[in-house]
Amino acid sequence: MSITLTSAPSSSVTRHSPLVPCPVFIAGQWRELSGIGTSPVFNPSRGETIAEVPMCGADIVNEAVEAAAAAFPAWCETPPVERARLFFRYRQLVEENFDRICQSVSREHGKTLA
């Protein structure tokens, strides 16, 4: 089994830029969905829309659940050392993107960064 952690496609949404589509991650791939409704994500401190997220229906949710269930047997057979490496890679990605993550959460919750 080979698992690779990658960052989500980067986007820089500001007050004056158009909203970038929010992809979904299913079966190891980022996908932009079209033809379905979206829901706005607001910055409550400014009252502005900062993103639009897809309103996934049962068919997309079921696809994601089926993909996760299909991947689970291979994950169970993955040696603990390899799993640990994967989680350390995840930690590295979080640390490398810490400022971006903080800014995103701050905007979504309408709070300032300390």
Side-chain angles (χ1 to χ4, degrees), residues 30-105:
W30 289 103
R31 297 182 2 205
E32 288 185 18
L33 303 177
S34 60
I36 64 172
T38 60
S39 177
V41 176
F42 294 101
N43 175 336
S45 69
R46 297 181 184 237
E48 65 190 10
T49 302
I50 58 173
E52 295 263 338
V53 295
M55 297 295 292
C56 298
D59 56 335
I60 296 169
V61 172
N62 287 338
E63 182 182 351
V65 169
E66 288 169 11
F72 187 69
W75 176 252
C76 287
E77 296 299 320
T78 301
V81 170
E82 190 175 333
R83 289 191 216 180
R85 281 190 196 116
L86 184 65
F87 283 112
F88 279 113
R89 174 67 177 134
Y90 174 75
R91 177 182 149 194
Q92 179 185 7
L93 288 170
V94 169
E95 288 173 350
E96 288 172 4
N97 293 283
F98 186 76
D99 290 338
R100 246 178 74 192
I101 294 168
C102 288
Q103 289 171 352
S104 179
V105 171

